[in-house]
Amino acid sequence: MKKILVLEDEASIRSFVVINLKRAGYEPIEAETGAQAFERIKENPDIRVALLDIMLPDIDGFEVCRRIRAADPHMGIIMLTARTQEMDKVTGLMTGADDYVTKPFSPAELTARVDALYRRMGGEHFDSGEMVQGPFKLNTRNRTLEKNGVRIKLTQVEYSIMKMFMDNPGKALSREDILNTVWGRDYFGELKIVDVNIRRLRIKIEDDSTNPTYITTVWGYGYKWGL
């Protein structure tokens, strides 16, 4: 069974999520506070994906996301956000989440997002090669990135974007191309998730993220990787 952390303090919503994840073949590990979430992760080191609510009785979901991401750059994280709170979506992504689902959500949408994240994490073929471009070295076996010999912590989504860029140096990639390749053609979400992840990636790899030289914007179209 594929374990997934479900952090939600409202029992009715948590029960709804758990029932539908079980039907989809997952093993939900429940938590209703941030502190419980960290304990559940410690008790279940094979948890691969976490669903995090934002409003919690102790610390908020953003802080839980930050701490999980600092400890494990490879865990998949999906934030559960309120439909009316646009900034929650952006903040969640910038703190390290891979995706978000807005409440209220259907069982089909939730399981599709979880399935897609699991595929991105484990479905890609691993090889023993390395891609070296300028100061960057992307190891495609252990899915890591180095810049000038220094390891840069990437989420699985960020790794997939970097690989797509390095597979296509100098080529303008549309936002739609990036979304379809990294998130999958069956992704239900919005196109802006690409922009937020590019912003997050620039902060990690650029010398000056406000004046990027590696990931440049192709206005009205998408992005281009160049050295």
Side-chain angles (χ1 to χ4, degrees), residues 81-94:
T81 71
R83 188 177 298 276
T84 57
Q85 298 300 316
E86 193 68 20
M87 271 309 298
D88 283 352
K89 303 173 184 178
V90 176
T91 303
L93 293 171
M94 291 303 293

Side-chain angles (χ1 to χ4, degrees), residues 5 7 33-39 41-42 50 52 56 58-77 79 91-92 94-97 153 155:
L5 176 70
L7 174 55
T33 67
Q36 282 186 4
F38 299 133
E39 285 299 315
I41 292 172
K42 185 184 298 184
L52 307 180
L56 299 169
D58 50 356
I59 58 177
D60 65 35
F62 298 134
E63 181 60 23
V64 176
C65 179
R66 288 188 192 96
R67 295 188 193 180
I68 291 176
R69 184 57 73 219
D72 184 357
H74 300 298
M75 184 179 291
I77 299 175
M79 304 298 295
T91 303
M94 291 303 293
T95 53
K153 288 185 176 181
T155 67

Side-chain angles (χ1 to χ4, degrees), residues 8 75 157 161 186 188 207 227:
E8 168 61 66
M75 184 179 291
V157 166
I161 294 173
D186 57 350
F188 284 111
D207 298 323
L227 301 171

Side-chain angles (χ1 to χ4, degrees), residues 166-225:
M166 294 178 75
D167 279 337
N168 298 276
K171 179 181 178 180
L173 302 174
S174 71
R175 289 175 174 83
E176 290 82 1
D177 287 340
I178 297 171
L179 187 73
N180 289 336
T181 299
V182 175
W183 281 268
R185 293 186 179 277
D186 57 350
Y187 178 70
F188 284 111
E190 303 164 71
L191 196 58
K192 66 184 173 187
I193 195 172
V194 174
D195 299 318
V196 177
N197 274 275
I198 293 293
R199 188 193 319 170
R200 197 172 68 188
L201 190 54
R202 280 172 167 166
I203 291 171
K204 293 185 177 184
I205 71 166
E206 296 282 356
D207 298 323
D208 178 3
S209 62
T210 62
N211 185 30
T213 57
Y214 301 117
I215 303 175
T216 55
T217 300
V218 181
W219 295 106
Y221 186 74
Y223 300 94
K224 182 171 67 173
W225 172 255

Side-chain angles (χ1 to χ4, degrees), residues 140-158:
T140 56
R141 179 179 58 82
N142 57 22
R143 300 166 73 91
T144 58
L145 177 70
E146 294 181 2
K147 179 182 179 183
N148 295 319
V150 178
R151 178 73 61 87
I152 297 174
K153 288 185 176 181
L154 299 180
T155 67
Q156 294 301 302
V157 166
E158 291 164 352

Side-chain angles (χ1 to χ4, degrees), residues 2 19-26 111 115:
K2 298 173 287 187
I19 289 170
N20 285 284
L21 288 175
K22 285 181 176 179
R23 287 174 178 168
Y26 293 94
T111 54
D115 288 344

